[in-house]
Amino acid sequence: MPQADYDLLKTLKAQCLKVGVEVNKGELLHTGVQALASLSMPDLEARLKALARVRAGRRKSKD
């Protein structure tokens, strides 16, 4: 997952806390999957096409 997505999750968590909702990264991701599942196929396809492709696998450590 790109660093920008981790940053977005951090921002979303902070926004939730501002309104009194304590949430963790897993809950946000779960909510996102549920939201995607509710989209029509054309809407889901459009959102997927709008995303930058992410290379599969984990980054190599800098060790």
Side-chain angles (χ1 to χ4, degrees):
M1 200 162 62
Q3 183 61 46
D5 290 344
Y6 285 106
D7 295 342
L8 185 55
L9 286 169
K10 185 177 180 180
T11 299
L12 288 168
K13 285 174 66 173
Q15 290 173 340
C16 287
L17 281 175
K18 282 184 182 179
V19 297
V21 177
E22 192 170 329
V23 64
N24 63 40
K25 180 176 72 173
E27 291 167 327
L28 285 173
L29 292 172
H30 180 70
T31 301
V33 168
Q34 295 299 313
L36 289 171
S38 71
L39 296 175
S40 68
M41 200 59 216
D43 287 341
L44 177 59
E45 183 180 10
R47 290 176 189 258
L48 290 171
K49 286 182 178 179
L51 287 176
R53 297 292 290 171
V54 177
R55 196 169 156 199
R58 294 181 178 260
R59 290 188 223 165
K60 293 182 180 179
S61 64
K62 295 180 182 181
D63 295 335

